[in-house]
Amino acid sequence: MGEEKAKIAVASILPSTVLWDFKTRPAESLLPLPQPDLRSLLPGLPRGAITEITGPRSSGRTALVHSLLAASTVAGEVSAIVDCHDSFDPASAQGVGADLGKLLWVQCGGRVDHAMKTADLILHGGGFGLVVLDLCEVPAAALQRLPPSCWYRFQRAVVHTPTVLVVAGGQPNAGSCAARRLEMGPRQAVWLGRAPFQLLGGVSVRAGLRKPVCPEPVSLWAAVLGE
Amino acid sequence: MFACLHLTSPPLPSADLAALARQFSPLVEQTSAGTVVCSIAGLDRLIGTPHQIAAEIGRRGAAMGLQANLAIAADPDTAVLAAVNLPGVTVIPPGREAEVLGDLPVAALPATAGFLETLDRWGVATLADLAALPAIGLVGRLGEEGERMRRLALGQSNRPLQATPAPRDYTAGLNLDQPLALLEPLLFAISSLIHDLFRQLRRQALATNRMTLRLALEDRTAGTRTLEFPLPMHEAGVLLKQVQLDLEAHPPGAAVVSLEVRLDPVKPRRLQGGLFCPAAPEPDKLRIVLARIAALVGADRVGSPAILDTHRPDAYAVRPHALEVGVAESAAKGAPAQRDDRPLRLVSRLFRPALVAAVKLRQGRPAWLAARGVKGAVVAAAGPWRTSGDWWAPTAWARDEWDVGLDDGALYRIYQETASARWFVDGVYD
């Protein structure tokens, strides 16, 4: 039965006041991005889906993750960060405004299997607004050994929930399971003053949306915390 | 019938008096620090006449070392008035309350100073005088309090007891026919005890925030595990899961021959969530998730971070139960703050422990850096910034910090320990 026939069949059953459009989907619930520049690229991170944030070191990927944690916890949500290599800096998170009392921090001591298992437990426990799986310092070889089924499991765990799962890493990992992918970089450090009297001012980054593909990247400025 | 005990020797704690009363009745009201009144209805079939009940109470009180007045009456307030004001043992037969209390001064009544002053001006000196006044006229002049005092004087207050429940010990034990060496059958035995205790707690509208499990082992040793919770727990299944995870992490050293479970009762937390509160993990589910993660990565590696009040770099603590409290507090607060725009800030990722580095210097400034996973020529450097602290403690530190940018575009914070002159990579700006 074609779409038109199905429409006619359903319309004959339902009252005439009911408008029926098979192509209309409910509006996607989003965790808004705190940066107006980034919102021109992506209005927010979809809830109930996986979003990947990738990039090399000093590309601002952790800065973006921290600002998301701050936005989520300040809004009253409970968030979690699964820290694979114990590299999360609570002072930096507090510096960007995160409410540490509403943040669950799990240090996995470099064990990728522990990180994946912990993320799975948190996602299946439910109730978290934002869950960050930080795989930034994990070698690519270790990530490639992960079974792809774990990403499908995460996808199934978060779907139809208000949780945003952010996977931060140096490279894309979740493949087709990720609903969005933000790529940070290349970057350019900005130094204030002249040598030998210099100060690190910040970094200028170009962020691009790789899934769905957006051809126009945006430029971001990330000042050093405290400047 | 009601019996009232009133201490005549103040140093003795009132708890002993309540304990004496509870030997005779479950319905005990502590009217003041040294006075308790209890119902003795039904004791006539167990002990006998009111005089025999009074003798038995007196005998047990003497055995406990208590010196108290005792009064038995059909009305609780009459018993209290008699016990407080009449020495020794007073048994008031029903219908003769006004006669027994009649000689007491009106100052014995629990009335306000203004009320007593009015009675004094009227020339009313005793309870018999007060009882003789006409009820309608008294209410017309002194209001509801006047009528209440008149009924007290007549021994006809007829109020119900405001009984306080006795503190209960929620402990259950089990001696096993066969020693249990496996966890599963042991949990089966613990489960029945926990469910029984939770049923008792629920009957009293209570919850628990602490469980103590005592195990007697086959090798004649004993083991004790204590689980504490930041918020009251009222689900037996959740507690059982916590016990399972704890016993998996800390198994008993030998087969178990007997066990005892004790729950500390507390009032349950009652909270109404707001309509506009964001979703948060359910407290019971969150407890289980945290316990499972703690069993996986270690209890000291899961929780909410807290910044310590020190200038020492990377000084933090992990608070295991802070999140549960934070979730409860956020639910109580109601609607959260509005989201706002915030600029992107370059933050640091730390290497724990710091990476040992090899640094080549040129004119006293870093020119080349190598560490595990970090290598390159330094294209820009800012520093040094000397920091030090805790010189009075074993955790003393002193170091020169640099911000360096490598030729691959990455930005690192490195430092040189002043004492050892060794270089380390502290973290990366990201």
Side-chain angles (χ1 to χ4, degrees):
Chain A
M1 185 182 284
E3 185 179 309
E4 287 304 317
K5 285 185 178 178
K7 271 187 183 180
I8 294 166
V10 173
S12 64
I13 299 168
L14 293 174
S16 58
T17 52
V18 177
L19 299 174
W20 194 263
D21 187 351
F22 286 90
K23 297 200 186 304
T24 303
R25 289 185 176 181
E28 202 173 39
S29 178
L30 299 173
L31 172 66
L33 286 166
Q35 289 78 32
D37 297 344
L38 264 181
R39 281 204 294 272
S40 64
L41 192 68
L42 182 67
L45 307 187
R47 295 187 182 275
I50 301 175
T51 298
E52 282 194 288
I53 298 173
T54 61
R57 280 178 177 169
S58 305
S59 62
R61 55 193 177 169
T62 309
L64 182 55
V65 164
H66 280 213
S67 70
L68 287 169
L69 286 173
S72 176
T73 54
V74 167
E77 294 177 341
V78 180
S79 301
I81 179 162
V82 182
D83 187 6
C84 188
H85 269 75
D86 304 353
S87 54
F88 175 71
D89 182 17
S92 292
Q94 194 179 46
V96 299
D99 182 355
L100 298 184
K102 293 194 185 71
L103 180 64
L104 173 64
W105 178 26
V106 184
Q107 303 173 77
C108 299
R111 295 278 301 269
V112 184
D113 55 336
H114 282 182
M116 303 304 277
K117 176 79 175 168
T118 300
D120 191 50
L121 286 170
I122 291 172
L123 292 176
H124 280 91
F128 288 83
L130 172 66
V131 178
V132 176
L133 176 57
D134 187 347
L135 302 174
C136 287
E137 301 300 324
V138 181
L143 289 173
Q144 284 165 1
R145 284 197 293 274
L146 288 175
S149 60
C150 64
W151 301 111
Y152 287 101
R153 186 174 166 81
F154 289 166
Q155 187 190 31
R156 298 301 303 164
V158 295
V159 71
H160 303 312
T161 70
T163 305
V164 177
L165 173 58
V166 170
V167 182
Q171 60 190 21
N173 297 297
S176 62
C177 296
R180 302 282 187 278
R181 182 158 75 83
L182 266 172
E183 191 176 82
M184 310 292 283
R187 72 285 196 204
Q188 180 67 48
V190 175
W191 298 85
L192 308 175
R194 287 188 174 187
F197 306 107
Q198 283 183 312
L199 277 177
L200 176 61
V203 65
S204 176
V205 183
R206 289 181 76 77
L209 188 62
R210 294 290 170 260
K211 189 174 183 180
V213 176
C214 178
E216 291 296 323
V218 295
S219 293
L220 296 172
W221 164 249
V224 173
L225 188 63
E227 292 297 316
Chain B
M1 296 289 282
F2 299 90
C4 178
L5 287 157
H6 176 71
L7 274 179
T8 54
S9 52
L12 286 175
S14 62
D16 292 338
L17 203 60
L20 173 62
R22 286 201 172 90
Q23 290 182 17
F24 294 90
S25 172
L27 298 175
V28 177
E29 177 187 313
Q30 184 96 39
T31 51
S32 66
T35 309
V36 295
V37 58
C38 64
S39 168
I40 56 169
L43 280 185
D44 52 339
R45 281 178 287 180
L46 286 174
I47 299 175
T49 63
H51 287 89
Q52 288 171 319
I53 295 171
E56 181 64 19
I57 294 174
R59 190 181 63 76
R60 292 200 196 177
M64 292 172 68
L66 292 173
Q67 293 181 4
N69 295 338
L70 171 64
I72 292 179
D75 180 74
D77 287 328
T78 306
V80 172
L81 272 175
V84 171
N85 297 289
L86 300 175
V89 177
T90 308
V91 178
I92 305 175
R96 295 186 57 195
E97 290 89 354
E99 182 185 334
V100 175
L101 299 178
D103 292 336
L104 293 178
V106 288
L109 292 171
T112 59
F115 184 87
L116 294 176
E117 188 184 341
T118 303
L119 291 183
D120 185 48
R121 279 193 274 112
W122 289 357
V124 176
T126 63
L127 296 192
D129 297 341
L130 180 61
L133 293 176
I136 295 176
L138 194 63
V139 171
R141 288 165 177 80
L142 295 177
E144 191 181 342
E145 190 183 10
E147 171 60 8
R148 193 168 66 86
M149 292 303 147
R150 181 178 166 276
R151 293 179 70 85
L152 278 177
L154 287 168
Q156 295 173 356
S157 72
N158 294 327
R159 69 169 177 89
L161 271 191
Q162 296 176 354
T164 51
R168 287 190 56 179
D169 186 24
Y170 294 90
T171 304
L174 192 62
N175 290 315
L176 302 167
D177 294 335
Q178 298 289 332
L180 294 178
L182 297 176
L183 184 59
E184 191 174 347
L186 178 61
L187 284 172
F188 187 75
I190 294 172
S191 169
S192 66
L193 299 180
I194 287 180
H195 278 89
D196 281 348
L197 290 174
F198 265 94
R199 264 193 291 275
Q200 295 175 29
L201 282 174
R202 265 199 294 274
R203 275 190 218 118
Q204 303 293 331
L206 293 172
T208 184
N209 63 352
R210 179 187 171 101
M211 193 210 80
T212 307
L213 173 66
R214 291 192 182 86
L215 301 173
L217 306 180
E218 198 176 23
D219 59 2
R220 297 184 181 280
T221 59
T224 302
R225 299 294 308 162
T226 302
L227 298 178
E228 293 189 19
F229 311 103
L231 298 176
M233 178 181 285
H234 51 81
E235 287 291 335
V238 178
L239 180 60
L240 188 64
K241 194 70 189 174
Q242 303 270 0
V243 174
Q244 179 189 351
L245 292 167
D246 186 70
L247 287 178
E248 283 174 355
H250 308 92
V256 177
V257 293
S258 72
L259 55 109
E260 183 187 272
V261 176
R262 182 174 187 275
L263 301 182
D264 290 4
V266 291
K267 285 187 177 176
R269 187 183 178 88
R270 307 213 179 276
L271 203 65
Q272 182 175 0
L275 281 175
F276 304 103
C277 289
E282 292 175 31
D284 292 339
K285 272 190 177 180
L286 181 62
R287 276 191 197 113
I288 293 177
V289 167
L290 293 181
R292 282 181 166 159
I293 295 173
L296 184 70
V297 301
D300 58 336
R301 303 176 70 83
V302 54
S304 285
I307 311 296
L308 300 182
D309 186 15
T310 171
H311 291 289
R312 193 174 69 246
D314 195 22
Y316 68 90
V318 177
R319 299 173 298 172
H321 297 301
L323 190 66
E324 296 176 53
V325 178
V327 168
E329 285 176 353
S330 66
K333 276 181 186 169
Q338 292 293 316
R339 299 174 193 275
D340 53 349
D341 292 346
R342 55 185 73 231
L344 203 61
R345 292 290 186 185
L346 203 59
V347 298
S348 58
R349 302 175 61 84
L350 300 179
F351 297 116
R352 295 190 179 99
L355 304 177
V356 178
V359 176
K360 286 183 181 174
L361 301 177
R362 186 179 300 134
Q363 296 175 344
R365 301 174 66 81
W368 184 83
L369 172 68
R372 184 166 53 83
V374 180
K375 190 175 182 181
V378 175
V379 294
W385 290 280
R386 176 159 293 182
T387 62
S388 63
D390 285 0
W391 50 265
W392 59 90
T395 54
W397 90 92
R399 62 194 206 178
D400 292 339
E401 294 184 352
W402 292 80
D403 291 334
V404 297
L406 299 192
D407 51 3
D408 64 354
L411 302 164
Y412 294 94
R413 186 169 62 218
I414 64 174
Y415 67 89
Q416 185 181 30
E417 276 187 352
T418 309
S420 64
R422 296 170 67 197
W423 286 88
F424 296 89
V425 181
D426 191 29
V428 55
Y429 287 105
D430 194 9

